[in-house]
Amino acid sequence: MRVRDGAAYRAGLNDGRRVLIDGEPVADVSTHPAFRNAVASFARFYDQQADPANRERLTFAVGEARVHKAWSLPRNHAELVDRRHAIAESSAPHCGFLGRSPDHLATTLTGMMIGLPVMRGFDPARAEAFAAYFEEVRARDLFVTYVIQNPQANKARSASEQARDVVAHLVSQDSQGIVVSGAKMLGTSSVMADEILVGTIQPVRPGEERYALSFAVPVNHPGVRLLSRRSYEQAASSVYDYPLSSRFDENDAVVFFDEVRVPWERVFVCGDPAAAGAQWHGTPAHVMQNYQAQIRLMVKMRFLTGLARRVAEINGTIDIPQVKGVLGRLAAQASMVEGLVAGMEAEGRMVGEHYVPSAHLLYAAQTLTQELYPQFVMAIRDLAGGGVIMLPSSVADMTSPHTRHYVEATQVSSIVDADERVRTMKLAWDALGSEYASRHTQYEMFYGGASYVNHAHMMRTFDWGAARALVDGVLPPPAVPG
Ligand SMILES: Cc1cc2nc3c(=O)[nH]c(=O)nc-3n(C[C@H](O)[C@H](O)[C@H](O)COP(=O)(O)OP(=O)(O)OC[C@H]3O[C@@H](n4cnc5c(N)ncnc54)[C@H](O)[C@@H]3O)c2cc1C
């Protein structure tokens, strides 16, 4: 049975997509120094699932093909847990540093598919267009990413009130489809994906219906422009010096639509603010997408906890009671994420024939982890001290006759040689303090919405009735009866 591998994924990338970086168009993202190693990491995702030794665990049959289990629509708790194991295993090679890996949107789209009856209630034709799109991208195991947030401009103004018409909007429509212009912010991984899903998750004001859109286009679709941020991969001097930036820089790009024509078969919401919001919150899509993100984060926290311990071992601080205390606390916090993932699965609910994670435990995890991540990083930086800076300038220092001797003389540990000390500390800096690491802190703080947004989701989904009943149950009787 056919399984998509890294070569098949790569073969689709040199397709004329319009990616712009440092003032220049990119001829081929799979060979460009700003993107090629991230492409290789995503290719590895597909190679891992195609490996016969992993196929049963990571993929399942859809028609003539086997595709990643992130595309599966779970019918019970056991199936939800089974697809979680597949997602966690696929996250291990990148230690959770690829946020928008192919399993992220696959999981998001399953949430929309589970909620299809809700979308049929708005517009049956658009809902069927989505269902057909889902079947197509799933059968081909395509790498889909998304832009659902408006570009940050003046937050005090609505989409139509901005100084320029910056937000992606409907320009016109005819019997063939729609025309869209404007931008959406930060298509993470869009540069190296196959498809971009566009959505509208922010509320749309009455009179601004032209901003209420959802559609999908191939990344190379005419009129789509990807404006890449600075590439940390390109800035990384070597894998030795920047083991994470050099390999797992998934990129973030502003996605600009320059009079893009989208056929009706790929339009899922057009001009209906209620449908645009329901696509995320009326269906389980938002819960599913962030559930995948928590599984990935669980792997990342495990990695960072392991890294913290290794730094303490190499520095000989591991037996200091206070250091053990810090490590114990980090391990507890990493375990809390695991516990929340298991909890949201155990407390899941049926939506039609399908089983989805608990929304209130998911939003609890979102709220707590977006606060936790920067604290977690700072706690490990505190453990690491100056060792993550007291480092050779580059891998060249490790072999040069001018420097090698001095590196050996100064990079000292009781348990590892100079080379392993340097490699571990450079890994720690790339995870905790480099520009790439700092982007990751911003990512974990914002990928699922700003904190005030998650607090609102928590308010919306917590069982306040049960909490109130407890309060009422122990409230003393009134002092004055009646
Ligand atoms: C690294 C990274 C990758 C991303 N990838 C994607 C992606 O793949 N796809 C995508 O669609 N989006 C992506 N995003 C965008 C992300 O969804 C948004 O950053 C997030 O929703 C917050 O919106 P914002 O950036 O406009 O921040 P804002 O909404 O401007 O919030 C910033 C801060 O302003 C204050 N604030 C603003 N409004 C209010 C308010 N009403 N009440 C209280 N306080 C307020 C708060 O302090 C808040 O923390 C990414 C973001 C980052 C940082």
Side-chain angles (χ1 to χ4, degrees):
M1 248 184 175
R2 176 170 53 84
V3 186
R4 195 177 199 209
D5 62 12
Y9 156 66
R10 279 170 169 283
L13 290 176
N14 189 5
D15 58 0
R17 59 188 60 202
R18 284 69 156 191
V19 177
L20 299 150
I21 187 167
D22 298 325
E24 298 287 339
V26 173
D28 178 359
V29 296
S30 68
T31 55
H32 192 283
F35 312 109
R36 62 190 173 202
N37 293 347
V39 167
S41 293
F42 285 120
R44 189 173 171 195
F45 174 97
Y46 288 107
D47 280 336
Q48 184 191 20
Q49 71 171 18
D51 184 335
N54 303 330
R55 279 183 192 187
E56 275 301 313
R57 289 191 318 285
L58 299 185
T59 67
F60 73 113
V62 173
E64 299 296 298
R66 288 189 73 90
V67 302
H68 197 278
K69 280 186 181 166
W71 290 107
S72 66
L73 276 62
R75 287 166 300 185
N76 51 49
H77 176 254
E79 289 184 3
L80 188 65
V81 172
D82 184 51
R83 75 197 289 300
R84 182 240 294 172
H85 288 312
I87 289 169
E89 190 169 338
S90 293
S91 300
H94 56 83
C95 296
F97 279 82
L98 295 176
R100 301 296 199 236
S101 47
D103 46 323
H104 182 71
L105 252 291
T107 301
T108 309
L109 297 178
T110 63
M112 284 179 194
M113 198 61 188
I114 291 169
L116 200 63
V118 173
M119 300 313 288
R120 280 199 190 105
F122 290 98
D123 185 333
R126 303 278 57 78
E128 292 321 314
F130 174 77
Y133 177 75
F134 177 84
E135 296 300 347
E136 185 202 330
V137 291
R138 178 166 85 158
R140 296 169 61 199
D141 206 352
L142 292 185
F143 183 175
V144 186
T145 187
Y146 59 5
V147 279
I148 58 180
Q149 190 77 13
N150 296 339
Q152 205 182 43
N154 183 344
K155 288 278 167 177
R157 294 185 175 185
S158 70
S160 71
E161 294 166 350
Q162 299 298 329
R164 275 189 294 282
D165 207 358
V166 60
V167 178
H169 57 273
L170 180 69
V171 175
S172 63
Q173 63 186 83
D174 59 22
S175 61
Q176 303 298 304
I178 63 174
V179 177
V180 178
S181 279
K184 285 279 182 179
M185 96 183 248
L186 241 38
T188 299
S189 296
S190 54
V191 163
M192 53 277 294
D194 300 306
E195 290 271 328
I196 303 177
L197 173 77
V198 181
T200 308
I201 200 164
Q202 289 155 295
V204 176
R205 286 196 193 168
E208 298 199 331
E209 288 77 10
R210 66 197 179 104
Y211 299 98
L213 292 175
S214 175
F215 57 91
V217 285
V219 176
N220 71 342
H221 197 64
V224 174
R225 304 277 181 275
L226 303 180
L227 313 178
S228 169
R229 64 151 162 77
R230 170 179 152 75
S231 165
Y232 310 134
E233 170 178 333
Q234 190 162 19
S237 44
S238 70
V239 173
Y240 189 96
D241 292 298
Y242 293 95
L244 299 173
S245 329
S246 60
R247 292 181 286 186
F248 308 122
D249 181 16
E250 62 188 341
N251 194 268
D252 310 280
V254 171
V255 180
F256 188 76
F257 301 93
D258 196 355
E259 303 223 340
V260 170
R261 289 200 147 270
V262 189
W264 284 115
E265 303 88 83
R266 283 171 162 264
V267 179
F268 315 132
V269 175
C270 181
D272 184 343
Q279 187 182 32
W280 304 99
H281 295 300
T283 76
H286 197 250
V287 168
M288 290 297 282
Q289 75 194 57
N290 289 308
Y291 163 63
Q292 184 281 343
Q294 289 295 323
I295 298 169
R296 172 200 56 80
L297 182 66
M298 181 182 88
V299 173
K300 195 177 187 182
M301 302 289 272
R302 206 177 280 159
F303 160 76
L304 289 172
T305 307
L307 184 63
R309 185 185 172 115
R310 195 66 188 138
V311 166
E313 286 170 351
I314 287 175
N315 275 343
T317 55
I318 184 75
D319 291 324
I320 300 171
Q322 291 89 335
V323 171
K324 282 190 169 153
V326 172
L327 288 172
R329 187 176 173 79
L330 292 171
Q333 289 169 327
S335 304
M336 180 190 81
V337 181
E338 289 180 22
L340 281 164
V341 168
M344 65 186 85
E345 292 166 348
E347 293 295 307
R349 67 186 174 107
M350 295 303 292
V351 176
E353 294 171 356
H354 299 107
Y355 184 83
V356 300
S358 152
H360 93 264
L361 287 176
L362 178 271
Y363 290 121
Q366 289 287 113
T367 298
L368 295 175
T369 56
Q370 73 180 163
E371 284 174 20
L372 175 63
Y373 192 83
Q375 296 166 15
F376 202 79
V377 164
M378 290 310 287
I380 306 174
R381 284 178 66 154
D382 191 54
L383 276 184
V388 287
I389 305 297
M390 190 197 88
L391 285 168
S393 55
S394 77
V395 63
D397 288 354
M398 306 303 293
T399 50
S400 158
H402 300 293
T403 48
R404 194 179 61 209
H405 170 75
Y406 298 109
V407 170
E408 290 282 343
T410 55
Q411 295 293 330
V412 177
S413 163
S414 299
I415 62 163
V416 294
D417 60 16
D419 180 68
E420 187 168 344
R421 180 184 172 90
V422 170
R423 281 187 290 132
T424 307
M425 293 299 172
K426 282 185 179 273
L427 174 62
W429 186 243
D430 211 14
L432 307 169
S434 66
E435 188 177 2
Y436 172 84
S438 193
R439 178 267 178 199
H440 270 271
T441 299
Q442 205 69 3
Y443 183 82
E444 302 299 352
M445 289 168 70
F446 281 102
Y447 76 80
S451 57
Y452 73 91
V453 175
N454 283 316
H455 297 167
H457 291 317
M458 202 64 239
M459 283 294 292
R460 181 170 59 79
T461 55
F462 187 66
D463 188 351
W464 292 107
R468 170 71 190 271
L470 290 172
V471 175
D472 289 348
V474 292
L475 201 64
V480 183

mmCIF file of all heavy atoms in Angstrom, residues 372-396:
data_model
loop_
_atom_site.group_PDB
_atom_site.id
_atom_site.type_symbol
_atom_site.label_atom_id
_atom_site.label_comp_id
_atom_site.label_asym_id
_atom_site.label_seq_id
_atom_site.Cartn_x
_atom_site.Cartn_y
_atom_site.Cartn_z
ATOM 1 N N LEU A 372 3.415 28.944 31.501
ATOM 2 C CA LEU A 372 4.484 28.098 32.026
ATOM 3 C C LEU A 372 5.755 28.141 31.174
ATOM 4 O O LEU A 372 6.870 28.170 31.714
ATOM 5 C CB LEU A 372 3.960 26.653 32.110
ATOM 6 C CG LEU A 372 4.954 25.561 32.517
ATOM 7 C CD1 LEU A 372 5.476 25.802 33.934
ATOM 8 C CD2 LEU A 372 4.285 24.180 32.425
ATOM 9 N N TYR A 373 5.597 28.141 29.866
ATOM 10 C CA TYR A 373 6.764 27.937 28.996
ATOM 11 C C TYR A 373 7.893 28.936 29.260
ATOM 12 O O TYR A 373 9.048 28.530 29.464
ATOM 13 C CB TYR A 373 6.349 27.936 27.517
ATOM 14 C CG TYR A 373 7.454 27.446 26.621
ATOM 15 C CD1 TYR A 373 7.670 26.088 26.425
ATOM 16 C CD2 TYR A 373 8.321 28.342 26.010
ATOM 17 C CE1 TYR A 373 8.714 25.631 25.626
ATOM 18 C CE2 TYR A 373 9.374 27.894 25.206
ATOM 19 C CZ TYR A 373 9.557 26.535 25.019
ATOM 20 O OH TYR A 373 10.598 26.086 24.240
ATOM 21 N N PRO A 374 7.608 30.263 29.278
ATOM 22 C CA PRO A 374 8.713 31.188 29.548
ATOM 23 C C PRO A 374 9.334 30.989 30.932
ATOM 24 O O PRO A 374 10.560 31.108 31.087
ATOM 25 C CB PRO A 374 8.079 32.580 29.435
ATOM 26 C CG PRO A 374 6.651 32.400 29.110
ATOM 27 C CD PRO A 374 6.347 30.946 28.977
ATOM 28 N N GLN A 375 8.522 30.623 31.924
ATOM 29 C CA GLN A 375 9.060 30.370 33.270
ATOM 30 C C GLN A 375 9.956 29.132 33.257
ATOM 31 O O GLN A 375 11.006 29.092 33.896
ATOM 32 C CB GLN A 375 7.924 30.132 34.268
ATOM 33 C CG GLN A 375 7.005 31.314 34.483
ATOM 34 C CD GLN A 375 5.718 30.896 35.204
ATOM 35 O OE1 GLN A 375 5.626 29.814 35.781
ATOM 36 N NE2 GLN A 375 4.720 31.758 35.153
ATOM 37 N N PHE A 376 9.524 28.142 32.523
ATOM 38 C CA PHE A 376 10.255 26.878 32.406
ATOM 39 C C PHE A 376 11.638 27.122 31.796
ATOM 40 O O PHE A 376 12.663 26.652 32.285
ATOM 41 C CB PHE A 376 9.415 25.949 31.523
ATOM 42 C CG PHE A 376 9.686 24.496 31.667
ATOM 43 C CD1 PHE A 376 9.162 23.777 32.729
ATOM 44 C CD2 PHE A 376 10.436 23.815 30.716
ATOM 45 C CE1 PHE A 376 9.384 22.418 32.848
ATOM 46 C CE2 PHE A 376 10.671 22.461 30.817
ATOM 47 C CZ PHE A 376 10.130 21.758 31.897
ATOM 48 N N VAL A 377 11.628 27.901 30.706
ATOM 49 C CA VAL A 377 12.888 28.240 30.025
ATOM 50 C C VAL A 377 13.805 29.023 30.978
ATOM 51 O O VAL A 377 15.011 28.737 31.075
ATOM 52 C CB VAL A 377 12.584 29.051 28.744
ATOM 53 C CG1 VAL A 377 13.821 29.747 28.216
ATOM 54 C CG2 VAL A 377 11.993 28.132 27.672
ATOM 55 N N MET A 378 13.254 29.983 31.698
ATOM 56 C CA MET A 378 14.084 30.791 32.600
ATOM 57 C C MET A 378 14.642 29.939 33.734
ATOM 58 O O MET A 378 15.781 30.148 34.172
ATOM 59 C CB MET A 378 13.275 31.970 33.164
ATOM 60 C CG MET A 378 12.945 33.040 32.142
ATOM 61 S SD MET A 378 14.359 33.606 31.162
ATOM 62 C CE MET A 378 15.225 34.579 32.379
ATOM 63 N N ALA A 379 13.881 28.962 34.212
ATOM 64 C CA ALA A 379 14.377 28.097 35.293
ATOM 65 C C ALA A 379 15.587 27.290 34.805
ATOM 66 O O ALA A 379 16.564 27.096 35.549
ATOM 67 C CB ALA A 379 13.260 27.167 35.765
ATOM 68 N N ILE A 380 15.557 26.838 33.559
ATOM 69 C CA ILE A 380 16.699 26.056 33.038
ATOM 70 C C ILE A 380 17.881 26.985 32.776
ATOM 71 O O ILE A 380 19.040 26.624 33.015
ATOM 72 C CB ILE A 380 16.296 25.262 31.771
ATOM 73 C CG1 ILE A 380 15.070 24.402 32.057
ATOM 74 C CG2 ILE A 380 17.457 24.377 31.314
ATOM 75 C CD1 ILE A 380 14.500 23.687 30.840
ATOM 76 N N ARG A 381 17.605 28.202 32.309
ATOM 77 C CA ARG A 381 18.703 29.159 32.124
ATOM 78 C C ARG A 381 19.368 29.447 33.467
ATOM 79 O O ARG A 381 20.595 29.595 33.549
ATOM 80 C CB ARG A 381 18.176 30.456 31.488
ATOM 81 C CG ARG A 381 17.905 30.295 30.003
ATOM 82 C CD ARG A 381 17.356 31.539 29.371
ATOM 83 N NE ARG A 381 18.308 32.636 29.358
ATOM 84 C CZ ARG A 381 18.290 33.634 28.477
ATOM 85 N NH1 ARG A 381 17.372 33.653 27.529
ATOM 86 N NH2 ARG A 381 19.166 34.601 28.524
ATOM 87 N N ASP A 382 18.569 29.511 34.510
ATOM 88 C CA ASP A 382 19.120 29.750 35.841
ATOM 89 C C ASP A 382 20.037 28.598 36.247
ATOM 90 O O ASP A 382 21.104 28.804 36.821
ATOM 91 C CB ASP A 382 17.958 29.916 36.832
ATOM 92 C CG ASP A 382 18.427 30.439 38.171
ATOM 93 O OD1 ASP A 382 19.102 31.488 38.190
ATOM 94 O OD2 ASP A 382 18.141 29.795 39.195
ATOM 95 N N LEU A 383 19.647 27.377 35.905
ATOM 96 C CA LEU A 383 20.482 26.207 36.219
ATOM 97 C C LEU A 383 21.773 26.212 35.413
ATOM 98 O O LEU A 383 22.820 25.754 35.882
ATOM 99 C CB LEU A 383 19.736 24.919 35.860
ATOM 100 C CG LEU A 383 18.740 24.300 36.820
ATOM 101 C CD1 LEU A 383 18.242 22.993 36.233
ATOM 102 C CD2 LEU A 383 19.387 24.046 38.171
ATOM 103 N N ALA A 384 21.685 26.714 34.183
ATOM 104 C CA ALA A 384 22.821 26.602 33.247
ATOM 105 C C ALA A 384 23.933 27.597 33.552
ATOM 106 O O ALA A 384 25.108 27.342 33.255
ATOM 107 C CB ALA A 384 22.326 26.796 31.811
ATOM 108 N N GLY A 385 23.601 28.737 34.159
ATOM 109 C CA GLY A 385 24.631 29.739 34.446
ATOM 110 C C GLY A 385 25.337 30.214 33.188
ATOM 111 O O GLY A 385 24.765 30.229 32.092
ATOM 112 N N GLY A 386 26.606 30.566 33.323
ATOM 113 C CA GLY A 386 27.352 31.134 32.196
ATOM 114 C C GLY A 386 27.912 30.103 31.234
ATOM 115 O O GLY A 386 28.498 30.462 30.204
ATOM 116 N N GLY A 387 27.705 28.816 31.549
ATOM 117 C CA GLY A 387 28.264 27.766 30.689
ATOM 118 C C GLY A 387 27.721 27.793 29.273
ATOM 119 O O GLY A 387 28.382 27.329 28.338
ATOM 120 N N VAL A 388 26.525 28.340 29.111
ATOM 121 C CA VAL A 388 25.948 28.389 27.765
ATOM 122 C C VAL A 388 26.505 29.564 26.945
ATOM 123 O O VAL A 388 26.198 29.689 25.754
ATOM 124 C CB VAL A 388 24.399 28.463 27.819
ATOM 125 C CG1 VAL A 388 23.802 27.132 28.241
ATOM 126 C CG2 VAL A 388 23.917 29.574 28.753
ATOM 127 N N ILE A 389 27.307 30.391 27.610
ATOM 128 C CA ILE A 389 27.967 31.512 26.919
ATOM 129 C C ILE A 389 29.475 31.274 26.863
ATOM 130 O O ILE A 389 30.147 31.637 25.891
ATOM 131 C CB ILE A 389 27.673 32.844 27.651
ATOM 132 C CG1 ILE A 389 26.163 33.072 27.795
ATOM 133 C CG2 ILE A 389 28.350 34.023 26.934
ATOM 134 C CD1 ILE A 389 25.406 33.224 26.495
ATOM 135 N N MET A 390 30.013 30.632 27.871
ATOM 136 C CA MET A 390 31.454 30.339 27.937
ATOM 137 C C MET A 390 31.780 29.214 26.948
ATOM 138 O O MET A 390 32.098 28.087 27.321
ATOM 139 C CB MET A 390 31.795 29.904 29.373
ATOM 140 C CG MET A 390 33.273 29.790 29.679
ATOM 141 S SD MET A 390 33.578 28.815 31.179
ATOM 142 C CE MET A 390 33.671 27.156 30.537
ATOM 143 N N LEU A 391 31.680 29.542 25.665
ATOM 144 C CA LEU A 391 31.762 28.499 24.639
ATOM 145 C C LEU A 391 32.673 28.924 23.497
ATOM 146 O O LEU A 391 32.806 30.129 23.218
ATOM 147 C CB LEU A 391 30.360 28.217 24.085
ATOM 148 C CG LEU A 391 29.435 27.418 25.003
ATOM 149 C CD1 LEU A 391 28.002 27.445 24.484
ATOM 150 C CD2 LEU A 391 29.919 25.977 25.130
ATOM 151 N N PRO A 392 33.271 27.965 22.810
ATOM 152 C CA PRO A 392 34.060 28.286 21.615
ATOM 153 C C PRO A 392 33.202 29.031 20.594
ATOM 154 O O PRO A 392 31.994 28.792 20.499
ATOM 155 C CB PRO A 392 34.475 26.925 21.070
ATOM 156 C CG PRO A 392 34.293 25.981 22.195
ATOM 157 C CD PRO A 392 33.230 26.535 23.085
ATOM 158 N N SER A 393 33.860 29.907 19.825
ATOM 159 C CA SER A 393 33.097 30.748 18.897
ATOM 160 C C SER A 393 32.389 29.931 17.824
ATOM 161 O O SER A 393 31.299 30.288 17.383
ATOM 162 C CB SER A 393 34.026 31.774 18.246
ATOM 163 O OG SER A 393 35.109 31.106 17.624
ATOM 164 N N SER A 394 32.991 28.826 17.407
ATOM 165 C CA SER A 394 32.332 27.960 16.422
ATOM 166 C C SER A 394 33.023 26.599 16.425
ATOM 167 O O SER A 394 34.058 26.408 17.066
ATOM 168 C CB SER A 394 32.398 28.572 15.013
ATOM 169 O OG SER A 394 33.693 28.376 14.474
ATOM 170 N N VAL A 395 32.467 25.680 15.647
ATOM 171 C CA VAL A 395 33.027 24.331 15.550
ATOM 172 C C VAL A 395 34.485 24.378 15.082
ATOM 173 O O VAL A 395 35.282 23.480 15.403
ATOM 174 C CB VAL A 395 32.151 23.457 14.624
ATOM 175 C CG1 VAL A 395 32.136 23.986 13.198
ATOM 176 C CG2 VAL A 395 32.569 21.999 14.651
ATOM 177 N N ALA A 396 34.862 25.439 14.362
ATOM 178 C CA ALA A 396 36.243 25.549 13.871
ATOM 179 C C ALA A 396 37.239 25.550 15.029
ATOM 180 O O ALA A 396 38.356 25.014 14.908
ATOM 181 C CB ALA A 396 36.401 26.816 13.024
#
